[in-house]
Amino acid sequence: APGEPAAARELVAALRARLTPGERELLRLVYDDDLAFVEVGRRLGLTETAARVRHHRLLKHLRDLADAGEGRP
C-alpha cells in the first residue's frame, strides 16, 4: 500500500526516540555509517564481540517494542 513506507519510517523514528543516546549511536555506526563491528567496538570502547552482542540485544529490544506497539507515538 502507498502509505506503508511512510508508516514504517514513522515506526522506526518512534522506536529510535525511545532508545538511549548510546543505543542510537550503536545503530548509527552500524546502519548509517555502515561500519564493521570491529570498528564499532573501537569507537565505543568495546571489543568486537561486545559490540555484536549489544547490537543483537538491541535488535531484540526493538522487535519487542514494535511487537508490543510501544513504538507508537
Side-chain angles (χ1 to χ4, degrees), residues 10-23:
E10 289 174 15
L11 177 60
V12 169
L15 289 171
R16 273 193 180 212
R18 296 189 52 124
L19 300 178
T20 67
E23 290 169 333

Side-chain angles (χ1 to χ4, degrees), residues 5-69:
R9 281 192 298 275
E10 289 174 15
L11 177 60
V12 169
L15 289 171
R16 273 193 180 212
R18 296 189 52 124
L19 300 178
T20 67
E23 290 169 333
R24 286 193 296 272
E25 177 71 0
L26 176 62
L27 289 179
R28 184 186 66 76
L29 293 171
V30 172
Y31 295 106
D32 296 341
D33 295 352
D34 197 29
L35 297 179
F37 283 105
V38 67
E39 181 62 17
V40 171
R42 189 185 71 72
R43 292 190 185 193
L44 297 178
L46 304 169
T47 64
E48 177 183 359
T49 301
R52 286 181 184 278
V53 169
R54 278 198 191 175
H55 176 255
H56 175 78
R57 290 178 180 162
L58 180 53
L59 292 182
K60 181 182 182 324
H61 178 63
L62 287 170
R63 278 192 298 271
D64 291 346
L65 287 175
D67 289 346

